[in-house]
Amino acid sequence: MFHTHQQQRRFELFIYYFVAFLLLWEWLRPLQDFTETSHTSYFIMFIALMCLFTFFRLKWFVTFPICIGLILLALYFIFYQTEPSYPAALFDDIKDNVTLIRLGMWSDMYPSFRTLLFYILLWLLVYLLHYWVVYQQRIFFFLLMTIIYVTILDTFTPYDATFAIVRIMVFGFCLLGLLYFDRLRSVERIRISQKERLKWCLPMLTLVLISATLGATLPKSDPNWPDPVPFLKTVTNQDGDGGQNKVGYSADDTSLGGPFREDRTPVFKWSGKEPSYFRVETKSIYTGKGWEDASNDTKPVRLEDNKVQNQWFTERVKTKVHEMRVDIEKNYQFNHALYPIGTTSLTPLDEIPLKMMGKTEKIVPAVQHPPQNLGNYRISFQSPTFILEDLQKMKVPTKQQVNREIGREYLQLPSSLPERVKTLAYSLTETKNQMYDKVKAIEDYLGSDTYSYETQNVAVPGQNQDYVDQFLFDTKIGYCDNFSTSMIVMLRSVGIPARWVKGYTSGQLFETQMDGDNVYEVTNNNAHSWVEVYFPKLGWVTFEPTKGFTNPEEFTNESHFSNQRKDQKEEEDQPESKARENQQAEQPQQKGTKQPAEPKEQTTQTERSVMNVGSMLSYILAGIILLGNTSWILYRFRARWLPFFIVRKVKRLAEDEAFFYAYDALLKQLKRKGMEKKPSMTLREFAAFIDGKYGDDEMTELTLLYERAFYRKEDASALWHQSAKLWENLINRR
């Protein structure tokens, strides 16, 4: 009968843990929609395992090394796969972030460190839920906080919590009812059979499900209050011209649309020979209304010696090195850099240290108190020339390939995207077999007479309208944001990875210098957004769908490029040409047998990747073994070090509680030493047994005092004063 009751209790606890896990899951679901957090599946698996460990009551020396190993493994796969020495890199990042915390620079913490802290928070939260469910038998506070959290996200972010609210109410009310039933049973001190329990649970479950179904399906009246988000944004972005915004850079792109008026305020001047678009940042999360920052899976990268380590193109893309100088106007209110794609170095004349912000690729000062703007700086960049034959050979990559090479956010689309947008994208590209042809088909379609460029009579999407859908099918009038966003959404609809880039065009010619360099002036009117498409084995390629704008990148066919290369070779110095000919003559001819360099490089990179993974796994395995051995040694000799902490805890307890806790702790300590009290023994018999072991009567004396406090209800505080020293001698014995 007792065994049956234990099984019943275990099943009840399993239900409690499962429902609590579902509630905690609701906290993680929205993260990918409104934050830079991705890889939420790692977090979900972690809390699921933690709930299982807690349910099975595994010892801490078992769960601790396993959980540490899981966290380290997750951090490796999310952030450190490219690091040759993962443990050293992680340790360095932790040291850097501790320094940032000490300096109060919380916003500059690396994503890897924030993820580590988030794992620790989830770990603690699972134990907190365990305490609420098992010991307190109350979950109302956690349920209330979950409801508030989800409803706030539903109101102020793109996250749609319609079904989340229904799930939370079902899970929460079921758990509330079950725990309330358990509290009643505990207060009344009665045992209830499984049949009697079902008589309580089934009607409660039926009532909850019926209520939730009615609440989700019945028609609802329109809200009495308007959506506060557009109102707040209108207030904050409004200027003196009836709410119409000026053109120019804005950090907030979450709500696109609406008219703009011209603004000729100068932003910067640049001097050089190669015109280019000037990037500020990229954004890759389309919400249906606008853009949010890309998923930041990499930490900010410090520009060591002003070198930009970012690789926009592979070595297969032919590039030419150019130099330019940028002079930002003193009144420019932003401290980001403006730079062309392919930048290899960016050197501020004021020697300001810089960093690149993860996948957004925004370059900003790496100082605690940054200046208003970067002032003047020099740029060295590689201007690409894309060979059309190479682009036209590319097939659309698989989702797995995109996720592995650049990240899944570049194929992200909101679930609310109207189906007719996807249908249009498929109809434009279904006859095209290659990736480049599909991209050009969409770019050419947006550049056709179907759509018009306009900055004044541009609509703002309504509450239930999609920004791209409204432009493609309803208004067909807009400016760069409309064209670029629509192209990216249609590309992603057919599986082509793309991202949204914002910055400035090259501006207007201002003057020509004596050395032949041209000086261009860029104003707020030159603020612009465009498209970058990822081609495997080549990199990011710029496309320009906005009518009236010209793509700054160069595209050429292979024969034309070969002729250019031939002309360049003929212009080289004669001695150098002869030296090269002599060097070629010395090499044996191996026509048809020489292997291309690229597969070897790929093989080497693959071998290095395998070696890095193997090295990382060996480090993690060694760490787990070390933690396991340390935990086992601590557990094996716990009888020697635990009394120190027990004595300290007893001294902090109230005097009327200390005696009872101390005596129970002493019994447990004796059990650890191999002297366990058998169920058939009385306390006095067990005390006599212990005294026989030690050769004195201290345990018997302590037991007599304890019985007076426990059974006779004498003053426990006074009796504890008499026995405290006696108890301390017994628990500290070796």
Side-chain angles (χ1 to χ4, degrees), residues 85-355:
S85 179
Y86 166 45
L90 177 61
F91 182 72
D92 290 340
D93 287 350
I94 292 175
K95 288 196 303 182
D96 292 343
N97 282 273
V98 170
T99 303
L100 292 174
I101 292 174
R102 192 176 68 251
L103 296 175
M105 302 170 65
W106 300 87
S107 60
D108 292 335
M109 288 193 302
Y110 301 167
S112 57
F113 187 73
R114 292 199 299 264
T115 303
L116 174 62
L117 296 180
F118 189 61
Y119 269 113
I120 296 173
L121 177 64
L122 290 177
W123 195 346
L124 296 174
L125 191 55
V126 170
Y127 279 108
L128 184 59
L129 283 175
H130 164 74
Y131 173 76
W132 280 336
V133 171
V134 176
Y135 295 101
Q136 291 292 319
Q137 295 181 331
R138 298 177 186 275
I139 203 67
F140 178 76
F141 178 75
F142 182 70
L143 175 61
L144 179 64
M145 295 303 299
T146 305
I147 294 172
I148 294 173
Y149 164 75
V150 171
T151 51
I152 289 177
L153 295 184
D154 182 69
T155 303
F156 293 100
T157 74
Y159 179 65
D160 184 3
T162 303
F163 295 102
I165 292 293
V166 176
R167 291 193 302 265
I168 291 170
M169 299 307 291
V170 171
F171 301 151
F173 279 114
C174 287
L175 192 56
L176 280 174
L178 293 174
L179 292 176
Y180 179 71
F181 181 75
D182 273 357
R183 288 203 307 275
L184 288 177
R185 190 175 57 179
S186 299
V187 171
E188 300 297 334
R189 297 183 179 180
I190 56 174
R191 286 187 179 180
I192 296 179
S193 65
Q194 192 72 19
K195 183 178 180 180
E196 294 295 328
R197 186 177 184 84
L198 286 175
K199 289 182 179 180
W200 168 277
C201 295
L202 289 179
M204 178 200 67
L205 182 61
T206 303
L207 181 61
V208 170
L209 291 177
I210 291 176
S211 302
T213 303
L214 291 175
T217 57
L218 288 177
K220 304 166 186 65
S221 60
D222 293 333
N224 294 325
W225 293 351
D227 186 358
V229 177
F231 170 75
L232 293 174
K233 290 183 176 179
T234 302
V235 172
T236 55
N237 292 331
Q238 200 173 37
D239 58 21
D241 191 15
Q244 187 180 21
N245 292 319
K246 296 179 181 179
V247 295
Y249 173 80
S250 171
D252 184 8
D253 301 296
T254 55
S255 294
L256 298 179
F260 281 89
R261 62 184 177 88
E262 290 190 1
D263 181 9
R264 301 180 183 275
T265 303
V267 175
F268 65 97
K269 291 185 178 70
W270 68 272
S271 57
K273 292 184 173 63
E274 182 70 12
S276 176
Y277 280 178
F278 287 83
R279 311 163 91 250
V280 173
E281 61 183 330
T282 70
K283 294 187 177 181
S284 296
I285 306 299
Y286 176 65
T287 64
K289 303 294 183 184
W291 292 96
E292 294 183 351
D293 289 347
S295 173
N296 197 354
D297 287 347
T298 55
K299 64 185 179 181
V301 178
R302 184 76 172 259
L303 304 190
E304 300 295 341
D305 298 326
N306 301 313
K307 301 297 182 183
V308 180
Q309 301 298 326
N310 202 48
Q311 295 295 325
W312 286 281
F313 327 112
T314 66
E315 294 180 355
R316 295 182 60 175
V317 178
K318 306 302 180 182
T319 60
K320 186 176 181 180
V321 177
H322 295 278
E323 306 285 337
M324 66 167 53
R325 171 174 168 145
V326 175
D327 300 297
I328 298 179
E329 296 292 332
K330 293 182 179 180
N331 295 328
Y332 190 59
Q333 298 296 319
F334 302 97
N335 59 22
H336 53 239
L338 307 128
Y339 64 95
I341 192 170
T343 294
T344 56
S345 68
L346 197 155
T347 308
L349 300 186
D350 293 337
E351 299 183 354
I352 304 171
L354 302 174
K355 62 183 178 181

Side-chain angles (χ1 to χ4, degrees), residues 13-31:
L13 285 177
F14 178 79
I15 296 296
Y16 295 164
Y17 279 112
F18 180 70
V19 178
F21 163 73
L22 294 178
L23 283 176
L24 187 55
W25 191 352
E26 295 297 337
W27 286 73
L28 300 178
R29 288 177 186 270
L31 294 183

Side-chain angles (χ1 to χ4, degrees), residues 410-452:
Y410 300 109
L411 290 176
Q412 172 271 342
L413 288 172
S415 58
S416 59
L417 182 70
E419 197 63 32
R420 63 178 179 174
V421 176
K422 300 178 182 179
T423 303
L424 175 61
Y426 280 114
S427 66
L428 293 173
T429 59
E430 61 183 351
T431 60
K432 311 296 182 182
N433 296 322
Q434 304 303 323
M435 179 176 173
Y436 177 79
D437 296 333
K438 293 178 182 287
V439 175
K440 286 299 294 180
I442 294 176
E443 184 184 47
D444 293 342
Y445 174 73
L446 291 171
S448 67
D449 294 336
T450 306
Y451 300 96
S452 302

